[in-house]
Amino acid sequence: MKITEQSDGLEMGLRKYRAADREERLEHLLRRWIEDPLKPRTRGRNLRINPILVLLAVMVLLGLGTFLFFSLVHL
């Protein structure tokens, strides 16, 4: 196999990979990012959110609430 044949094959493979990557929508990427990796769906086919993201969201809300309380209430 000559170098040009190898490079042509490699180029076609990269084009196919990029074409497949473009077809994936932002909605699917976000859904895959927030779904639970162990059990992504419930029995009713509903989305199950990653518990780590829920915990982080609760911690951010508690921190923001604490900051707002102590910055607005003068003791």
Side-chain angles (χ1 to χ4, degrees):
M1 184 181 279
K2 294 184 180 181
I3 294 176
T4 57
E5 292 174 4
Q6 278 184 326
S7 63
D8 288 341
L10 182 62
E11 182 181 357
M12 290 303 294
L14 284 173
R15 285 181 193 258
K16 286 181 184 178
Y17 175 74
R18 286 194 168 182
D21 192 34
R22 269 189 246 141
E23 291 174 2
E24 195 166 25
R25 304 228 183 253
L26 182 62
E27 177 187 354
H28 298 293
L29 289 173
L30 289 175
R31 187 178 296 151
R32 193 174 349 132
W33 186 71
I34 65 169
E35 71 185 4
D36 189 7
L38 299 178
K39 292 183 180 179
R41 301 276 177 190
T42 61
R43 287 186 181 187
R45 303 298 295 161
N46 294 331
L47 181 69
R48 184 177 290 185
I49 298 177
N50 193 344
I52 294 173
L53 291 177
V54 173
L55 178 66
L56 287 174
V58 168
M59 290 176 59
V60 165
L61 287 175
L62 283 173
L64 184 63
T66 304
F67 172 75
L68 287 175
F69 178 76
F70 284 111
S71 65
L72 296 176
V73 176
H74 299 288
L75 299 175

Coordinates of all heavy atoms in Angstrom, one line a residue:
M1 N 0.8 -1.2 0.0 CA 0.0 0.0 0.0 C 0.9 1.2 0.0 O 1.8 1.3 0.8 CB -0.9 0.0 1.2 CG -1.9 1.1 1.2 SD -2.9 1.2 2.7 CE -4.2 0.0 2.2
K2 N 0.6 2.2 -0.9 CA 1.4 3.4 -1.0 C 0.9 4.4 0.1 O -0.2 4.3 0.6 CB 1.3 4.0 -2.4 CG 1.9 3.1 -3.4 CD 1.9 3.7 -4.8 CE 2.5 2.8 -5.8 NZ 2.5 3.4 -7.1
I3 N 1.7 5.4 0.3 CA 1.4 6.4 1.3 C 0.1 7.2 0.9 O -0.7 7.5 1.7 CB 2.6 7.4 1.5 CG1 3.7 6.6 2.1 CG2 2.2 8.5 2.3 CD1 5.0 7.4 2.3
T4 N 0.0 7.5 -0.4 CA -1.2 8.2 -0.8 C -2.5 7.4 -0.6 O -3.5 8.0 -0.2 CB -1.1 8.6 -2.3 OG1 -0.9 7.4 -3.1 CG2 0.0 9.5 -2.6
E5 N -2.4 6.1 -0.8 CA -3.6 5.3 -0.5 C -3.9 5.3 1.0 O -5.1 5.3 1.4 CB -3.4 3.9 -1.0 CG -3.3 3.7 -2.5 CD -2.9 2.3 -2.9 OE1 -2.8 1.4 -2.1 OE2 -2.7 2.1 -4.1
Q6 N -2.9 5.2 1.8 CA -3.1 5.3 3.3 C -3.7 6.6 3.7 O -4.6 6.7 4.5 CB -1.8 5.0 4.0 CG -1.4 3.6 4.1 CD -0.2 3.5 5.0 OE1 0.7 4.3 4.9 NE2 -0.1 2.4 5.7
S7 N -3.2 7.7 3.1 CA -3.7 9.0 3.5 C -5.1 9.2 3.0 O -5.9 9.9 3.7 CB -2.7 10.1 3.0 OG -2.7 10.1 1.6
D8 N -5.4 8.7 1.8 CA -6.8 8.8 1.3 C -7.7 8.0 2.2 O -8.8 8.5 2.5 CB -6.9 8.3 -0.1 CG -6.2 9.2 -1.1 OD1 -6.0 10.4 -0.8 OD2 -5.9 8.7 -2.2
G9 N -7.3 6.9 2.7 CA -8.2 6.1 3.6 C -8.4 6.8 4.9 O -9.5 6.8 5.5
L10 N -7.3 7.4 5.4 CA -7.3 8.1 6.7 C -8.2 9.3 6.5 O -9.0 9.6 7.4 CB -5.9 8.5 7.1 CG -5.8 9.2 8.4 CD1 -6.3 8.3 9.6 CD2 -4.4 9.6 8.7
E11 N -8.1 10.0 5.4 CA -8.9 11.2 5.2 C -10.4 10.9 5.2 O -11.2 11.5 5.7 CB -8.5 11.9 3.9 CG -9.3 13.1 3.6 CD -8.8 13.8 2.3 OE1 -7.9 13.2 1.6 OE2 -9.5 14.8 1.9
M12 N -10.8 9.8 4.5 CA -12.2 9.4 4.4 C -12.7 9.0 5.8 O -13.8 9.3 6.1 CB -12.3 8.2 3.4 CG -12.1 8.6 1.9 SD -13.2 10.0 1.4 CE -14.8 9.1 1.5
G13 N -11.8 8.3 6.5 CA -12.3 7.9 7.9 C -12.5 9.1 8.8 O -13.5 9.1 9.5
L14 N -11.7 10.1 8.7 CA -11.9 11.3 9.5 C -13.1 12.1 9.0 O -13.8 12.6 9.8 CB -10.6 12.2 9.3 CG -9.4 11.8 10.1 CD1 -8.2 12.7 9.8 CD2 -9.7 11.8 11.6
R15 N -13.4 12.1 7.7 CA -14.6 12.8 7.2 C -15.8 12.1 7.7 O -16.8 12.7 8.1 CB -14.6 12.8 5.7 CG -13.6 13.8 5.1 CD -13.7 13.8 3.6 NE -12.6 14.5 3.0 CZ -12.7 15.7 2.5 NH1 -13.9 16.3 2.5 NH2 -11.7 16.3 2.0
K16 N -15.8 10.8 7.8 CA -17.0 10.0 8.3 C -17.2 10.3 9.8 O -18.3 10.4 10.2 CB -16.8 8.5 8.0 CG -17.0 8.1 6.6 CD -16.8 6.6 6.5 CE -17.0 6.2 5.0 NZ -16.7 4.7 4.9
Y17 N -16.1 10.3 10.5 CA -16.2 10.6 11.9 C -16.7 12.0 12.2 O -17.6 12.1 13.1 CB -14.8 10.4 12.6 CG -14.7 10.8 14.0 CD1 -15.3 9.9 15.0 CD2 -14.2 12.0 14.5 CE1 -15.3 10.2 16.3 CE2 -14.1 12.3 15.8 CZ -14.7 11.4 16.7 OH -14.7 11.8 18.0
R18 N -16.2 13.0 11.5 CA -16.7 14.3 11.7 C -18.2 14.5 11.3 O -19.0 15.2 11.9 CB -15.9 15.3 11.0 CG -14.6 15.5 11.7 CD -13.9 16.7 11.1 NE -12.8 17.1 12.0 CZ -12.0 18.1 11.8 NH1 -12.3 18.9 10.8 NH2 -11.0 18.4 12.6
A19 N -18.6 13.8 10.3 CA -20.0 13.9 9.8 C -20.9 13.2 10.8 O -22.0 13.7 11.1 CB -20.1 13.2 8.5
A20 N -20.5 12.1 11.4 CA -21.3 11.5 12.5 C -21.4 12.3 13.7 O -22.4 12.4 14.4 CB -20.7 10.1 12.8
D21 N -20.3 13.0 14.0 CA -20.2 13.9 15.2 C -21.1 15.1 15.0 O -21.8 15.5 16.0 CB -18.8 14.3 15.5 CG -18.6 15.0 16.8 OD1 -19.3 14.5 17.8 OD2 -17.8 15.9 16.9
R22 N -21.3 15.6 13.8 CA -22.1 16.8 13.6 C -23.6 16.4 13.7 O -24.4 17.3 14.0 CB -21.9 17.4 12.2 CG -20.8 18.4 12.3 CD -20.8 19.1 10.9 NE -19.5 18.8 10.4 CZ -19.2 18.6 9.1 NH1 -20.2 18.6 8.3 NH2 -18.0 18.3 8.7
E23 N -24.0 15.2 13.5 CA -25.3 14.8 13.5 C -25.9 14.8 14.9 O -27.1 14.8 15.1 CB -25.5 13.4 12.9 CG -25.3 13.5 11.4 CD -25.3 12.1 10.8 OE1 -25.6 11.1 11.5 OE2 -25.1 12.0 9.5
E24 N -25.1 14.7 15.9 CA -25.5 14.6 17.3 C -26.0 16.0 17.7 O -25.2 17.0 17.6 CB -24.4 14.1 18.2 CG -24.9 13.7 19.5 CD -23.9 12.9 20.3 OE1 -22.7 13.0 20.0 OE2 -24.3 12.1 21.1
R25 N -27.1 16.1 18.3 CA -27.7 17.4 18.6 C -27.3 17.8 20.1 O -27.0 16.9 20.9 CB -29.2 17.3 18.5 CG -29.7 16.8 17.2 CD -30.8 17.8 16.7 NE -31.3 17.3 15.4 CZ -31.0 17.9 14.3 NH1 -30.3 19.0 14.3 NH2 -31.5 17.5 13.2
L26 N -27.5 19.1 20.3 CA -27.1 19.6 21.6 C -28.0 19.0 22.7 O -27.5 18.7 23.8 CB -27.2 21.1 21.6 CG -26.8 21.9 22.9 CD1 -25.4 21.6 23.2 CD2 -27.1 23.3 22.7
E27 N -29.3 18.8 22.4 CA -30.2 18.2 23.3 C -29.7 16.9 23.8 O -29.8 16.5 25.0 CB -31.6 18.1 22.7 CG -32.6 17.5 23.6 CD -33.9 17.3 22.9 OE1 -34.1 17.7 21.7 OE2 -34.8 16.6 23.5
H28 N -29.3 16.0 22.9 CA -28.8 14.7 23.2 C -27.5 14.8 24.1 O -27.4 14.0 25.0 CB -28.6 13.9 22.0 CG -29.8 13.7 21.2 ND1 -30.8 12.9 21.6 CD2 -30.1 14.2 19.9 CE1 -31.8 12.9 20.7 NE2 -31.4 13.7 19.6
L29 N -26.7 15.7 23.8 CA -25.5 15.8 24.6 C -25.8 16.3 26.0 O -25.2 15.7 27.0 CB -24.5 16.9 23.9 CG -23.9 16.5 22.6 CD1 -23.1 17.6 22.0 CD2 -22.9 15.3 22.9
L30 N -26.7 17.2 26.2 CA -27.0 17.7 27.5 C -27.8 16.6 28.3 O -27.5 16.4 29.5 CB -27.9 18.9 27.4 CG -27.2 20.2 27.0 CD1 -28.2 21.3 26.8 CD2 -26.1 20.6 28.0
R31 N -28.6 15.9 27.6 CA -29.4 14.8 28.3 C -28.4 13.7 28.7 O -28.5 13.2 29.8 CB -30.4 14.2 27.3 CG -31.3 13.2 28.0 CD -32.4 12.6 27.1 NE -33.2 13.7 26.7 CZ -33.9 13.8 25.5 NH1 -33.8 12.8 24.7 NH2 -34.7 14.8 25.3
R32 N -27.4 13.3 27.9 CA -26.5 12.3 28.3 C -25.6 12.8 29.4 O -25.1 12.0 30.3 CB -25.6 11.9 27.1 CG -24.8 10.7 27.4 CD -24.0 10.2 26.2 NE -24.3 10.7 24.9 CZ -23.4 11.1 24.1 NH1 -22.1 11.1 24.4 NH2 -23.7 11.6 22.9
W33 N -25.3 14.1 29.5 CA -24.5 14.7 30.5 C -25.2 14.7 31.9 O -24.5 14.5 32.9 CB -24.1 16.1 30.1 CG -23.1 16.7 31.1 CD1 -21.8 16.4 31.2 CD2 -23.3 17.8 32.0 NE1 -21.2 17.1 32.2 CE2 -22.1 18.0 32.7 CE3 -24.4 18.5 32.3 CZ2 -22.0 19.0 33.7 CZ3 -24.3 19.5 33.3 CH2 -23.1 19.7 34.0
I34 N -26.5 14.9 31.9 CA -27.2 15.0 33.2 C -27.8 13.7 33.7 O -28.3 13.6 34.8 CB -28.3 16.2 33.2 CG1 -29.4 15.8 32.2 CG2 -27.7 17.5 32.9 CD1 -30.6 16.7 32.4
E35 N -27.9 12.7 32.8 CA -28.6 11.5 33.2 C -27.7 10.7 34.1 O -26.5 10.8 34.1 CB -29.1 10.7 32.0 CG -28.0 10.1 31.2 CD -28.5 9.4 29.9 OE1 -29.6 9.5 29.6 OE2 -27.6 8.8 29.3
D36 N -28.4 9.9 34.9 CA -27.7 9.0 35.8 C -26.9 7.9 35.0 O -27.5 7.2 34.2 CB -28.7 8.3 36.7 CG -28.1 7.5 37.9 OD1 -26.8 7.6 38.0 OD2 -28.8 6.8 38.6
P37 N -25.6 7.8 35.2 CA -24.8 6.8 34.4 C -25.2 5.3 34.7 O -25.1 4.5 33.9 CB -23.4 7.1 34.8 CG -23.4 7.8 36.1 CD -24.8 8.5 36.1
L38 N -25.7 5.0 35.9 CA -26.0 3.7 36.3 C -27.4 3.2 35.8 O -27.6 2.2 35.3 CB -25.9 3.4 37.8 CG -24.5 3.7 38.4 CD1 -24.5 3.5 39.9 CD2 -23.5 2.8 37.7
K39 N -28.4 4.1 36.0 CA -29.8 3.8 35.6 C -30.3 5.1 34.9 O -30.9 5.9 35.6 CB -30.7 3.5 36.8 CG -30.3 2.2 37.4 CD -31.3 1.9 38.5 CE -31.0 0.6 39.2 NZ -32.0 0.3 40.3
P40 N -30.0 5.3 33.6 CA -30.4 6.5 33.0 C -32.0 6.7 32.8 O -32.4 7.8 32.7 CB -29.8 6.5 31.6 CG -29.4 5.1 31.4 CD -29.3 4.4 32.7
R41 N -32.7 5.6 32.8 CA -34.2 5.7 32.6 C -34.9 5.0 33.7 O -34.4 4.0 34.3 CB -34.6 5.1 31.3 CG -33.9 5.8 30.1 CD -34.7 7.0 29.7 NE -34.0 7.7 28.7 CZ -34.3 8.8 28.2 NH1 -35.3 9.5 28.8 NH2 -33.6 9.4 27.3
T42 N -36.1 5.4 34.1 CA -37.0 4.7 35.0 C -37.8 3.7 34.2 O -37.7 3.6 33.0 CB -37.9 5.7 35.7 OG1 -38.7 6.3 34.8 CG2 -37.1 6.7 36.5
R43 N -38.6 3.0 34.9 CA -39.5 2.0 34.2 C -40.4 2.7 33.2 O -40.8 2.1 32.2 CB -40.3 1.1 35.2 CG -39.4 0.2 35.9 CD -40.2 -0.7 36.8 NE -39.3 -1.7 37.5 CZ -39.7 -2.7 38.2 NH1 -41.0 -2.9 38.4 NH2 -38.9 -3.4 38.8
G44 N -40.9 3.8 33.6 CA -41.8 4.6 32.7 C -41.0 5.4 31.6 O -41.6 6.2 31.0
R45 N -39.8 5.1 31.4 CA -38.9 5.7 30.4 C -38.7 7.2 30.6 O -38.5 7.9 29.7 CB -39.5 5.5 29.0 CG -39.7 4.0 28.6 CD -38.4 3.2 28.6 NE -37.6 3.7 27.5 CZ -36.3 3.4 27.5 NH1 -35.7 2.7 28.4 NH2 -35.5 3.9 26.5
N46 N -38.8 7.6 31.9 CA -38.5 9.0 32.2 C -37.0 9.1 32.5 O -36.4 8.2 33.0 CB -39.3 9.4 33.5 CG -40.8 9.4 33.2 OD1 -41.2 9.7 32.0 ND2 -41.6 9.2 34.2
L47 N -36.5 10.3 32.4 CA -35.1 10.6 32.6 C -34.8 10.6 34.1 O -35.6 11.2 34.9 CB -34.8 12.0 32.0 CG -33.3 12.4 32.1 CD1 -32.4 11.6 31.2 CD2 -33.2 13.9 31.7
R48 N -33.8 10.0 34.5 CA -33.3 10.0 35.9 C -32.1 10.8 35.9 O -31.1 10.6 35.3 CB -33.0 8.6 36.3 CG -32.7 8.5 37.8 CD -32.5 7.1 38.2 NE -33.8 6.5 38.2 CZ -34.0 5.2 38.7 NH1 -33.0 4.5 39.1 NH2 -35.2 4.7 38.7
I49 N -32.1 11.9 36.8 CA -31.0 12.9 36.8 C -29.9 12.3 37.7 O -30.1 11.6 38.7 CB -31.5 14.2 37.4 CG1 -32.5 14.8 36.4 CG2 -30.4 15.2 37.6 CD1 -33.1 16.1 36.9
N50 N -28.7 12.6 37.4 CA -27.5 12.2 38.1 C -27.5 12.7 39.5 O -27.7 14.0 39.7 CB -26.2 12.7 37.4 CG -25.0 12.0 37.9 OD1 -25.0 11.4 38.9 ND2 -23.9 12.2 37.1
P51 N -27.4 11.9 40.6 CA -27.5 12.4 41.9 C -26.4 13.3 42.3 O -26.6 14.2 43.2 CB -27.5 11.1 42.8 CG -27.4 10.0 41.9 CD -27.3 10.4 40.5
I52 N -25.3 13.2 41.7 CA -24.1 14.1 42.0 C -24.5 15.5 41.6 O -24.2 16.5 42.3 CB -22.8 13.6 41.4 CG1 -22.4 12.3 42.0 CG2 -21.7 14.6 41.5 CD1 -21.3 11.6 41.3
L53 N -25.1 15.6 40.4 CA -25.5 17.0 40.0 C -26.6 17.6 40.9 O -26.6 18.8 41.1 CB -26.0 16.9 38.5 CG -25.0 16.6 37.5 CD1 -25.6 16.5 36.1 CD2 -23.9 17.7 37.5
V54 N -27.5 16.7 41.4 CA -28.5 17.2 42.3 C -27.9 17.7 43.6 O -28.2 18.8 44.1 CB -29.6 16.1 42.6 CG1 -30.6 16.5 43.7 CG2 -30.3 15.7 41.3
L55 N -26.9 16.9 44.1 CA -26.2 17.3 45.3 C -25.5 18.6 45.1 O -25.5 19.5 46.0 CB -25.2 16.2 45.7 CG -24.4 16.5 47.0 CD1 -25.2 16.6 48.2 CD2 -23.3 15.4 47.1
L56 N -24.8 18.8 44.0 CA -24.1 20.0 43.7 C -25.0 21.2 43.6 O -24.7 22.3 44.1 CB -23.2 19.9 42.4 CG -22.0 19.0 42.5 CD1 -21.4 18.8 41.2 CD2 -21.0 19.6 43.5
A57 N -26.2 21.0 43.0 CA -27.2 22.1 42.9 C -27.7 22.5 44.2 O -27.8 23.7 44.5 CB -28.3 21.7 42.0
V58 N -27.9 21.5 45.1 CA -28.4 21.8 46.5 C -27.3 22.6 47.2 O -27.6 23.6 48.0 CB -28.8 20.5 47.2 CG1 -29.0 20.8 48.7 CG2 -30.1 20.0 46.6
M59 N -26.1 22.2 47.1 CA -25.0 22.9 47.8 C -24.8 24.3 47.3 O -24.6 25.2 48.1 CB -23.7 22.1 47.7 CG -23.7 20.8 48.4 SD -22.2 19.8 48.2 CE -20.9 20.9 48.7
V60 N -25.0 24.5 46.0 CA -24.9 25.9 45.5 C -26.0 26.7 46.0 O -25.8 27.9 46.4 CB -24.8 25.8 43.9 CG1 -25.1 27.2 43.3 CG2 -23.5 25.3 43.4
L61 N -27.2 26.2 46.0 CA -28.4 26.9 46.5 C -28.2 27.3 48.0 O -28.5 28.4 48.4 CB -29.6 26.2 46.3 CG -30.1 26.1 44.8 CD1 -31.3 25.2 44.7 CD2 -30.4 27.5 44.3
L62 N -27.7 26.3 48.8 CA -27.5 26.6 50.2 C -26.4 27.7 50.4 O -26.5 28.6 51.2 CB -27.1 25.3 50.9 CG -28.2 24.4 51.3 CD1 -27.7 23.1 51.8 CD2 -29.2 25.0 52.2
G63 N -25.3 27.6 49.6 CA -24.3 28.6 49.7 C -24.8 30.0 49.3 O -24.5 31.0 50.0
L64 N -25.5 30.0 48.2 CA -26.1 31.3 47.8 C -27.1 31.9 48.8 O -27.1 33.1 49.1 CB -26.7 31.1 46.4 CG -27.3 32.4 45.7 CD1 -26.1 33.3 45.4 CD2 -28.0 32.0 44.5
G65 N -27.9 31.0 49.3 CA -28.9 31.5 50.4 C -28.2 32.0 51.6 O -28.6 33.0 52.2
T66 N -27.1 31.3 52.0 CA -26.4 31.7 53.2 C -25.7 33.1 52.9 O -25.7 34.0 53.8 CB -25.3 30.7 53.6 OG1 -26.0 29.4 53.8 CG2 -24.5 31.1 54.8
F67 N -25.1 33.2 51.8 CA -24.5 34.5 51.4 C -25.5 35.6 51.4 O -25.2 36.7 51.9 CB -23.8 34.3 50.0 CG -23.2 35.6 49.5 CD1 -22.1 36.2 50.0 CD2 -23.9 36.3 48.5 CE1 -21.6 37.4 49.5 CE2 -23.5 37.5 48.0 CZ -22.3 38.0 48.5
L68 N -26.6 35.4 50.7 CA -27.6 36.4 50.7 C -28.2 36.8 52.1 O -28.4 37.9 52.4 CB -28.8 36.0 49.8 CG -28.4 36.0 48.3 CD1 -29.6 35.5 47.5 CD2 -28.1 37.4 47.8
F69 N -28.4 35.8 52.9 CA -28.9 36.0 54.3 C -27.9 36.9 55.0 O -28.3 37.9 55.6 CB -29.1 34.7 55.0 CG -29.6 34.9 56.4 CD1 -30.9 35.2 56.7 CD2 -28.7 34.7 57.5 CE1 -31.3 35.4 58.0 CE2 -29.1 34.9 58.8 CZ -30.4 35.2 59.0
F70 N -26.6 36.5 55.1 CA -25.7 37.3 55.9 C -25.3 38.6 55.2 O -24.8 39.5 55.9 CB -24.4 36.5 56.2 CG -24.7 35.4 57.2 CD1 -24.7 34.1 56.9 CD2 -24.9 35.8 58.5 CE1 -24.9 33.1 57.9 CE2 -25.2 34.9 59.5 CZ -25.2 33.5 59.2
S71 N -25.5 38.8 53.9 CA -25.2 40.1 53.3 C -26.3 41.0 53.4 O -26.1 42.3 53.4 CB -24.8 39.9 51.8 OG -25.9 39.4 51.1
L72 N -27.6 40.5 53.5 CA -28.7 41.4 53.6 C -29.2 41.7 55.0 O -29.8 42.7 55.3 CB -29.9 40.8 52.8 CG -29.6 40.7 51.2 CD1 -30.8 40.1 50.6 CD2 -29.4 42.1 50.6
V73 N -29.0 40.7 55.9 CA -29.4 40.9 57.3 C -28.2 41.4 58.1 O -27.2 40.7 58.2 CB -29.9 39.5 57.9 CG1 -30.3 39.7 59.3 CG2 -31.1 39.1 57.1
H74 N -28.3 42.5 58.7 CA -27.3 43.1 59.5 C -27.5 42.7 61.0 O -28.5 43.1 61.6 CB -27.2 44.6 59.4 CG -26.9 45.0 58.0 ND1 -25.7 44.8 57.4 CD2 -27.8 45.5 57.0 CE1 -25.8 45.3 56.1 NE2 -27.0 45.7 55.9
L75 N -26.6 42.0 61.5 CA -26.7 41.5 62.9 C -26.1 42.5 63.9 O -25.3 43.2 63.7 CB -26.1 40.2 63.1 CG -26.7 39.0 62.3 CD1 -25.9 37.8 62.5 CD2 -28.1 38.8 62.7

